[in-house]
Amino acid sequence: MDLTVDIAGVKFPSCFMNASGALCVTEDELMALGGSHSGAIVTKSMTIEARQGNPMPRYHGFPGGSINSMGLPNLGYKAYAALIPALKQFGKPVIASVAGLCEEDFPTIAQVINHAKPDLIEVNLSCPNIPGKPQIGYDADTSERIVKRLRKIVTVPMGVKLPPYFDPAHHKLMGDVLARCGVDFLTLINSVGNGLVVNPDAETVVIKPKGGFGGLGGAMIKPVALANVRAFWKHFHGTMPIVGTGGVVDGVDAFEHVLCGASAVQIGTVLVEEGVQVFERLEHELTACLEKKGYKTIEDCRGKLKGL
Ligand code: SIN
């Protein structure tokens, strides 16, 4: 089965890739993604300075999903800019994920990273784990200011990674903002921010930062992710490439994202749990699913979710 996809004119050898955050901080992790079946190498969201991130424990997996409050541990943007040429040697797209702790950080990082020529840039407007810093994607005006500034700097295809929205009014508000900004793709969704998982035996939280509050991922967030993929697919009448992220545990989950309108899917929790071999498993499972249904390509079923 041909699982290659095209996003904003960039060819991907497979529709599966890592989500920014999952096993993509260090040079070794990024190289391992390069040598794996991942269809792209997505970097950890980078900030101006290198960061250790939040205190540990800051990730907890459990049946049904995960909670994390990593706090953007990363090498700093200059280190990722220097690594991009080596990462491009793997012959698959390199996606640089750009974050910031304040508005000014985004254009500073984008200038240098754009110059390093990743294949695409994903602007992270949705990290829920920096104490005292609200998720930018929940502030439409700030999002618009930042993305418009970046649009003037970035010359490679540029997308945004958004938080989940829970009301059609917010899908419309952000959809209109992004149409005005002119982005090339959307990554939907980041973790469902500020959930709380409790250990009833110990009567404690399960992660240390932010009093135990963190971003939820994995199987339990799939319906929220699918709803956001579908809502933005409809908002843009199927013309905006969408990278579906959230709740992809097996090939059928990926098929559901594609039915809702995703061009490709990113893998977070199960990549952390299983390691980079997960991509081969997912390829086999999606292929089996598409073959069973008689589809020849991903394109044949993209966005084709039916009503009742
Ligand atoms: C983190 O580093 O806290 C997660 C990154 C993100 O959610 O954007």
Side-chain angles (χ1 to χ4, degrees):
M1 177 70 63
D2 180 9
L3 296 182
T4 61
V5 293
D6 178 303
I7 296 172
V10 178
K11 299 264 177 283
F12 289 67
S14 160
C15 64
F16 292 105
M17 69 190 84
N18 68 297
S20 175
L23 304 188
C24 60
V25 175
T26 65
E27 179 172 354
D28 284 352
E29 287 174 337
L30 292 164
M31 292 291 174
L33 286 166
S36 77
H37 279 231
S38 180
I41 305 171
V42 187
T43 72
K44 177 68 185 174
S45 297
M46 58 193 79
T47 52
I48 298 270
E49 304 294 343
R51 288 172 58 85
Q52 293 296 319
N54 290 339
M56 294 188 194
R58 58 193 186 185
Y59 174 91
H60 177 80
F62 53 95
S66 65
I67 183 168
N68 88 82
S69 182
M70 306 304 286
L72 295 177
N74 76 95
L75 305 178
Y77 74 112
K78 288 183 184 159
Y80 292 111
L83 274 173
I84 285 172
L87 297 177
K88 287 182 78 166
Q89 298 295 317
F90 288 100
K92 58 177 94 174
V94 174
I95 304 181
S97 174
V98 171
L101 300 181
C102 66
E103 270 185 65
E104 283 311 311
D105 290 354
F106 286 87
T108 304
I109 296 171
Q111 285 280 5
V112 172
I113 280 295
N114 185 64
H115 192 67
K117 296 219 177 323
D119 297 279
L120 306 94
I121 289 179
E122 181 183 273
V123 181
N124 185 352
L125 298 179
S126 47
C127 178
N129 301 330
I130 306 297
K133 306 271 182 197
Q135 291 162 87
I136 296 165
Y138 288 137
D139 176 341
D141 293 338
T142 305
S143 297
E144 183 158 1
R145 266 198 317 276
I146 290 174
V147 181
K148 279 185 170 162
R149 283 182 75 180
L150 296 181
R151 187 71 283 182
K152 293 194 182 121
I153 294 167
V154 173
T155 54
V156 300
M158 181 182 82
V160 291
K161 183 169 182 178
L162 297 174
Y165 300 99
F166 299 95
D167 193 284
H170 296 153
H171 294 127
K172 177 170 172 13
L173 178 67
M174 277 310 285
D176 289 346
V177 162
L178 296 168
R180 287 196 293 275
C181 294
V183 297
D184 301 306
F185 69 97
L186 305 178
T187 301
L188 306 169
I189 54 174
N190 207 323
S191 59
V192 175
N194 296 296
L196 185 63
V197 174
V198 169
N199 177 342
D201 297 327
E203 302 179 17
T204 62
V205 298
V206 298
I207 55 172
K208 190 175 175 73
K210 289 183 70 177
F213 285 65
L216 304 175
M220 67 184 165
I221 74 163
K222 185 176 72 173
V224 178
L226 294 176
N228 277 269
V229 170
R230 193 66 182 159
F232 281 99
W233 165 264
K234 284 187 166 178
H235 184 89
F236 288 99
H237 306 288
T239 60
M240 176 68 77
I242 293 173
V243 183
T245 309
V248 177
V249 174
D250 62 28
V252 177
D253 298 322
F255 175 66
E256 292 176 19
H257 269 270
V258 173
L259 272 184
C260 289
S263 293
V265 290
Q266 292 184 347
I267 311 300
T269 298
V270 289
L271 172 56
V272 173
E273 301 287 337
E274 291 180 35
V276 294
Q277 315 85 276
V278 74
F279 294 111
E280 272 178 271
R281 174 175 71 74
L282 292 169
E283 275 178 16
H284 287 130
E285 290 171 354
L286 178 58
T287 297
C289 171
L290 294 175
E291 281 176 356
K292 190 168 152 209
K293 287 171 166 292
Y295 288 114
K296 301 257 179 304
T297 67
I298 293 179
E299 210 54 59
D300 293 343
C301 50
R302 175 170 305 120
K304 302 274 170 59
L305 184 68
K306 300 186 203 81
L308 295 180

